[in-house]
Amino acid sequence: DQQVKQNSPSLSVQEGRISILNCDYTNSMFDYFLWYKKYPAEGPTFLISISSIKDKNEDGRFTVFLNKSAKHLSLHIVPSQPGDSAVYFCAASALRSGNTGKLIFGQGTTLQVKP
Amino acid sequence: DSGVTQTPKHLITATGQRVTLRCSPRSGDLSVYWYQQSLDQGLQFLIQYYNGEERAKGNILERFSAQQFPDLHSELNLSSLELGDSALYFCASSEQGAGNTIYFGEGSWLTVV
């Protein structure tokens, strides 16, 4: 049962353009969402998060949008840079339902930003 | 550097053997999480400990076990290893439990031959 899904295994974007990574979830109890970036041979690093009380959170070039009714979130990277090339994981957590803090991850999307 | 330290970084062992992966959380973090990433797979949650006690269990096999010690470091024990156990095992930590960002170590590559 894949509660968090990233349906696009890969995405290729030209440098300077916008990268949009998508994530869908099925568990309506999820109320806290995060994006992690992972380079080869390294652990995932936290990028940005959003609580379900918001529909947008911005941090520099990174913006996360949350559509609760559609159970969908997306990560926008503007402008994309070659250094952004990595695997991006979407993760979700259910804070209000006595959750312990564990995150459920999607399968990841490999982003390639071409110079 | 996330502050989460994992050892060993790489490990090759034979089927049927047992290995122990070690994790030191970030200073002050009480929660430790273990995740498994197999080839072409996402990060699968295995188990969480909070201040020495098991807090949550995910898709962890009965052949696997973990513990968190009084100094808050954690160990993941994998026994009767099978070829399919070959994966990258990540440890992560957070300050408390729910609501905190989880920080990951660099992982331990386990290859079972």
Side-chain angles (χ1 to χ4, degrees), chain A residues 87-110:
Chain A
V87 179
Y88 288 78
F89 289 99
C90 166
S93 182
L95 297 186
R96 287 172 301 182
S97 59
N99 177 56
T100 65
K102 70 177 189 285
L103 300 178
I104 306 300
F105 283 84
Q107 300 291 85
T109 297
T110 301

PDB file of all heavy atoms in Angstrom, chain A residues 87-110:
ATOM      1  N   VAL A  87      17.970  13.223  -6.659  1.00  0.00           N
ATOM      2  CA  VAL A  87      16.692  12.531  -6.466  1.00  0.00           C
ATOM      3  C   VAL A  87      15.914  13.283  -5.393  1.00  0.00           C
ATOM      4  O   VAL A  87      16.460  13.621  -4.335  1.00  0.00           O
ATOM      5  CB  VAL A  87      16.893  11.071  -6.035  1.00  0.00           C
ATOM      6  CG1 VAL A  87      15.536  10.388  -5.831  1.00  0.00           C
ATOM      7  CG2 VAL A  87      17.711  10.315  -7.070  1.00  0.00           C
ATOM      8  N   TYR A  88      14.667  13.572  -5.675  1.00  0.00           N
ATOM      9  CA  TYR A  88      13.816  14.311  -4.743  1.00  0.00           C
ATOM     10  C   TYR A  88      12.741  13.376  -4.189  1.00  0.00           C
ATOM     11  O   TYR A  88      12.013  12.728  -4.941  1.00  0.00           O
ATOM     12  CB  TYR A  88      13.175  15.510  -5.443  1.00  0.00           C
ATOM     13  CG  TYR A  88      14.180  16.598  -5.731  1.00  0.00           C
ATOM     14  CD1 TYR A  88      15.047  16.490  -6.805  1.00  0.00           C
ATOM     15  CD2 TYR A  88      14.289  17.707  -4.892  1.00  0.00           C
ATOM     16  CE1 TYR A  88      16.004  17.470  -7.061  1.00  0.00           C
ATOM     17  CE2 TYR A  88      15.235  18.690  -5.141  1.00  0.00           C
ATOM     18  CZ  TYR A  88      16.087  18.563  -6.219  1.00  0.00           C
ATOM     19  OH  TYR A  88      17.036  19.522  -6.461  1.00  0.00           O
ATOM     20  N   PHE A  89      12.670  13.334  -2.872  1.00  0.00           N
ATOM     21  CA  PHE A  89      11.687  12.497  -2.203  1.00  0.00           C
ATOM     22  C   PHE A  89      10.644  13.366  -1.520  1.00  0.00           C
ATOM     23  O   PHE A  89      10.979  14.330  -0.820  1.00  0.00           O
ATOM     24  CB  PHE A  89      12.347  11.619  -1.137  1.00  0.00           C
ATOM     25  CG  PHE A  89      13.194  10.508  -1.690  1.00  0.00           C
ATOM     26  CD1 PHE A  89      14.567  10.645  -1.780  1.00  0.00           C
ATOM     27  CD2 PHE A  89      12.612   9.317  -2.101  1.00  0.00           C
ATOM     28  CE1 PHE A  89      15.351   9.617  -2.285  1.00  0.00           C
ATOM     29  CE2 PHE A  89      13.388   8.287  -2.605  1.00  0.00           C
ATOM     30  CZ  PHE A  89      14.764   8.447  -2.696  1.00  0.00           C
ATOM     31  N   CYS A  90       9.422  13.004  -1.702  1.00  0.00           N
ATOM     32  CA  CYS A  90       8.312  13.583  -0.981  1.00  0.00           C
ATOM     33  C   CYS A  90       8.051  12.695   0.242  1.00  0.00           C
ATOM     34  O   CYS A  90       8.179  11.464   0.155  1.00  0.00           O
ATOM     35  CB  CYS A  90       7.106  13.598  -1.928  1.00  0.00           C
ATOM     36  SG  CYS A  90       5.529  13.908  -1.184  1.00  0.00           S
ATOM     37  N   ALA A  91       7.710  13.299   1.373  1.00  0.00           N
ATOM     38  CA  ALA A  91       7.435  12.519   2.578  1.00  0.00           C
ATOM     39  C   ALA A  91       6.244  13.119   3.314  1.00  0.00           C
ATOM     40  O   ALA A  91       5.984  14.325   3.208  1.00  0.00           O
ATOM     41  CB  ALA A  91       8.655  12.492   3.492  1.00  0.00           C
ATOM     42  N   ALA A  92       5.539  12.280   4.047  1.00  0.00           N
ATOM     43  CA  ALA A  92       4.352  12.738   4.761  1.00  0.00           C
ATOM     44  C   ALA A  92       4.314  12.152   6.159  1.00  0.00           C
ATOM     45  O   ALA A  92       4.854  11.073   6.421  1.00  0.00           O
ATOM     46  CB  ALA A  92       3.095  12.345   3.991  1.00  0.00           C
ATOM     47  N   SER A  93       3.633  12.888   7.026  1.00  0.00           N
ATOM     48  CA  SER A  93       3.519  12.476   8.406  1.00  0.00           C
ATOM     49  C   SER A  93       2.135  12.864   8.916  1.00  0.00           C
ATOM     50  O   SER A  93       1.528  13.806   8.399  1.00  0.00           O
ATOM     51  CB  SER A  93       4.601  13.166   9.229  1.00  0.00           C
ATOM     52  OG  SER A  93       4.564  12.772  10.569  1.00  0.00           O
ATOM     53  N   ALA A  94       1.652  12.147   9.921  1.00  0.00           N
ATOM     54  CA  ALA A  94       0.334  12.450  10.492  1.00  0.00           C
ATOM     55  C   ALA A  94       0.537  12.922  11.924  1.00  0.00           C
ATOM     56  O   ALA A  94       0.596  12.114  12.843  1.00  0.00           O
ATOM     57  CB  ALA A  94      -0.556  11.213  10.438  1.00  0.00           C
ATOM     58  N   LEU A  95       0.667  14.224  12.108  1.00  0.00           N
ATOM     59  CA  LEU A  95       1.010  14.756  13.425  1.00  0.00           C
ATOM     60  C   LEU A  95      -0.133  14.655  14.423  1.00  0.00           C
ATOM     61  O   LEU A  95       0.071  14.364  15.589  1.00  0.00           O
ATOM     62  CB  LEU A  95       1.421  16.224  13.295  1.00  0.00           C
ATOM     63  CG  LEU A  95       2.659  16.535  12.465  1.00  0.00           C
ATOM     64  CD1 LEU A  95       2.983  18.020  12.587  1.00  0.00           C
ATOM     65  CD2 LEU A  95       3.832  15.700  12.911  1.00  0.00           C
ATOM     66  N   ARG A  96      -1.346  14.892  13.967  1.00  0.00           N
ATOM     67  CA  ARG A  96      -2.452  15.019  14.913  1.00  0.00           C
ATOM     68  C   ARG A  96      -2.989  13.690  15.390  1.00  0.00           C
ATOM     69  O   ARG A  96      -3.690  13.622  16.377  1.00  0.00           O
ATOM     70  CB  ARG A  96      -3.589  15.832  14.288  1.00  0.00           C
ATOM     71  CG  ARG A  96      -3.282  17.302  14.174  1.00  0.00           C
ATOM     72  CD  ARG A  96      -4.351  17.998  13.381  1.00  0.00           C
ATOM     73  NE  ARG A  96      -4.470  17.431  12.046  1.00  0.00           N
ATOM     74  CZ  ARG A  96      -5.318  17.889  11.136  1.00  0.00           C
ATOM     75  NH1 ARG A  96      -6.121  18.890  11.412  1.00  0.00           N
ATOM     76  NH2 ARG A  96      -5.390  17.331   9.946  1.00  0.00           N
ATOM     77  N   SER A  97      -2.690  12.622  14.711  1.00  0.00           N
ATOM     78  CA  SER A  97      -3.292  11.338  15.069  1.00  0.00           C
ATOM     79  C   SER A  97      -2.341  10.507  15.919  1.00  0.00           C
ATOM     80  O   SER A  97      -2.225   9.304  15.731  1.00  0.00           O
ATOM     81  CB  SER A  97      -3.675  10.566  13.810  1.00  0.00           C
ATOM     82  OG  SER A  97      -2.543  10.347  13.005  1.00  0.00           O
ATOM     83  N   GLY A  98      -1.650  11.165  16.836  1.00  0.00           N
ATOM     84  CA  GLY A  98      -0.747  10.442  17.718  1.00  0.00           C
ATOM     85  C   GLY A  98       0.456   9.869  17.013  1.00  0.00           C
ATOM     86  O   GLY A  98       1.069   8.905  17.474  1.00  0.00           O
ATOM     87  N   ASN A  99       0.788  10.469  15.910  1.00  0.00           N
ATOM     88  CA  ASN A  99       1.921   9.961  15.141  1.00  0.00           C
ATOM     89  C   ASN A  99       3.210  10.105  15.920  1.00  0.00           C
ATOM     90  O   ASN A  99       3.387  11.011  16.718  1.00  0.00           O
ATOM     91  CB  ASN A  99       2.012  10.739  13.833  1.00  0.00           C
ATOM     92  CG  ASN A  99       3.208  10.311  13.017  1.00  0.00           C
ATOM     93  OD1 ASN A  99       3.366   9.151  12.700  1.00  0.00           O
ATOM     94  ND2 ASN A  99       4.065  11.254  12.695  1.00  0.00           N
ATOM     95  N   THR A 100       4.102   9.208  15.693  1.00  0.00           N
ATOM     96  CA  THR A 100       5.356   9.219  16.422  1.00  0.00           C
ATOM     97  C   THR A 100       6.402  10.118  15.783  1.00  0.00           C
ATOM     98  O   THR A 100       7.443  10.356  16.370  1.00  0.00           O
ATOM     99  CB  THR A 100       5.921   7.792  16.455  1.00  0.00           C
ATOM    100  OG1 THR A 100       6.237   7.395  15.113  1.00  0.00           O
ATOM    101  CG2 THR A 100       4.903   6.834  17.019  1.00  0.00           C
ATOM    102  N   GLY A 101       6.132  10.568  14.591  1.00  0.00           N
ATOM    103  CA  GLY A 101       7.116  11.381  13.892  1.00  0.00           C
ATOM    104  C   GLY A 101       7.694  10.687  12.682  1.00  0.00           C
ATOM    105  O   GLY A 101       8.421  11.287  11.907  1.00  0.00           O
ATOM    106  N   LYS A 102       7.364   9.404  12.499  1.00  0.00           N
ATOM    107  CA  LYS A 102       7.941   8.711  11.360  1.00  0.00           C
ATOM    108  C   LYS A 102       7.382   9.294  10.072  1.00  0.00           C
ATOM    109  O   LYS A 102       6.248   9.763  10.012  1.00  0.00           O
ATOM    110  CB  LYS A 102       7.646   7.212  11.421  1.00  0.00           C
ATOM    111  CG  LYS A 102       6.204   6.823  11.180  1.00  0.00           C
ATOM    112  CD  LYS A 102       6.073   5.308  11.193  1.00  0.00           C
ATOM    113  CE  LYS A 102       4.692   4.867  10.732  1.00  0.00           C
ATOM    114  NZ  LYS A 102       3.688   5.089  11.773  1.00  0.00           N
ATOM    115  N   LEU A 103       8.202   9.293   9.061  1.00  0.00           N
ATOM    116  CA  LEU A 103       7.821   9.806   7.756  1.00  0.00           C
ATOM    117  C   LEU A 103       7.599   8.657   6.789  1.00  0.00           C
ATOM    118  O   LEU A 103       8.330   7.667   6.807  1.00  0.00           O
ATOM    119  CB  LEU A 103       8.909  10.725   7.192  1.00  0.00           C
ATOM    120  CG  LEU A 103       9.266  11.964   8.010  1.00  0.00           C
ATOM    121  CD1 LEU A 103      10.381  12.733   7.326  1.00  0.00           C
ATOM    122  CD2 LEU A 103       8.045  12.848   8.201  1.00  0.00           C
ATOM    123  N   ILE A 104       6.585   8.816   5.953  1.00  0.00           N
ATOM    124  CA  ILE A 104       6.335   7.881   4.865  1.00  0.00           C
ATOM    125  C   ILE A 104       6.798   8.540   3.582  1.00  0.00           C
ATOM    126  O   ILE A 104       6.353   9.653   3.265  1.00  0.00           O
ATOM    127  CB  ILE A 104       4.842   7.514   4.777  1.00  0.00           C
ATOM    128  CG1 ILE A 104       4.331   7.000   6.120  1.00  0.00           C
ATOM    129  CG2 ILE A 104       4.617   6.490   3.667  1.00  0.00           C
ATOM    130  CD1 ILE A 104       5.048   5.761   6.631  1.00  0.00           C
ATOM    131  N   PHE A 105       7.674   7.871   2.856  1.00  0.00           N
ATOM    132  CA  PHE A 105       8.292   8.458   1.681  1.00  0.00           C
ATOM    133  C   PHE A 105       7.686   7.936   0.388  1.00  0.00           C
ATOM    134  O   PHE A 105       7.223   6.799   0.305  1.00  0.00           O
ATOM    135  CB  PHE A 105       9.793   8.145   1.662  1.00  0.00           C
ATOM    136  CG  PHE A 105      10.599   8.984   2.607  1.00  0.00           C
ATOM    137  CD1 PHE A 105      10.712   8.636   3.939  1.00  0.00           C
ATOM    138  CD2 PHE A 105      11.248  10.130   2.159  1.00  0.00           C
ATOM    139  CE1 PHE A 105      11.454   9.411   4.813  1.00  0.00           C
ATOM    140  CE2 PHE A 105      11.993  10.911   3.028  1.00  0.00           C
ATOM    141  CZ  PHE A 105      12.101  10.547   4.356  1.00  0.00           C
ATOM    142  N   GLY A 106       7.748   8.796  -0.628  1.00  0.00           N
ATOM    143  CA  GLY A 106       7.449   8.366  -1.981  1.00  0.00           C
ATOM    144  C   GLY A 106       8.662   7.680  -2.573  1.00  0.00           C
ATOM    145  O   GLY A 106       9.705   7.542  -1.933  1.00  0.00           O
ATOM    146  N   GLN A 107       8.511   7.255  -3.838  1.00  0.00           N
ATOM    147  CA  GLN A 107       9.573   6.491  -4.491  1.00  0.00           C
ATOM    148  C   GLN A 107      10.709   7.363  -4.997  1.00  0.00           C
ATOM    149  O   GLN A 107      11.771   6.854  -5.350  1.00  0.00           O
ATOM    150  CB  GLN A 107       8.997   5.713  -5.676  1.00  0.00           C
ATOM    151  CG  GLN A 107       7.915   4.729  -5.295  1.00  0.00           C
ATOM    152  CD  GLN A 107       8.454   3.575  -4.495  1.00  0.00           C
ATOM    153  OE1 GLN A 107       8.592   3.652  -3.273  1.00  0.00           O
ATOM    154  NE2 GLN A 107       8.762   2.485  -5.157  1.00  0.00           N
ATOM    155  N   GLY A 108      10.478   8.653  -5.068  1.00  0.00           N
ATOM    156  CA  GLY A 108      11.524   9.556  -5.533  1.00  0.00           C
ATOM    157  C   GLY A 108      11.392   9.904  -7.010  1.00  0.00           C
ATOM    158  O   GLY A 108      10.900   9.104  -7.809  1.00  0.00           O
ATOM    159  N   THR A 109      11.826  11.106  -7.342  1.00  0.00           N
ATOM    160  CA  THR A 109      11.897  11.568  -8.731  1.00  0.00           C
ATOM    161  C   THR A 109      13.306  12.069  -8.986  1.00  0.00           C
ATOM    162  O   THR A 109      13.809  12.905  -8.229  1.00  0.00           O
ATOM    163  CB  THR A 109      10.894  12.711  -9.000  1.00  0.00           C
ATOM    164  OG1 THR A 109       9.559  12.246  -8.820  1.00  0.00           O
ATOM    165  CG2 THR A 109      11.053  13.240 -10.430  1.00  0.00           C
ATOM    166  N   THR A 110      13.925  11.541 -10.039  1.00  0.00           N
ATOM    167  CA  THR A 110      15.269  11.980 -10.388  1.00  0.00           C
ATOM    168  C   THR A 110      15.183  13.205 -11.286  1.00  0.00           C
ATOM    169  O   THR A 110      14.630  13.143 -12.387  1.00  0.00           O
ATOM    170  CB  THR A 110      16.037  10.865 -11.111  1.00  0.00           C
ATOM    171  OG1 THR A 110      16.113   9.727 -10.253  1.00  0.00           O
ATOM    172  CG2 THR A 110      17.443  11.324 -11.467  1.00  0.00           C
TER     173      THR A 110
END
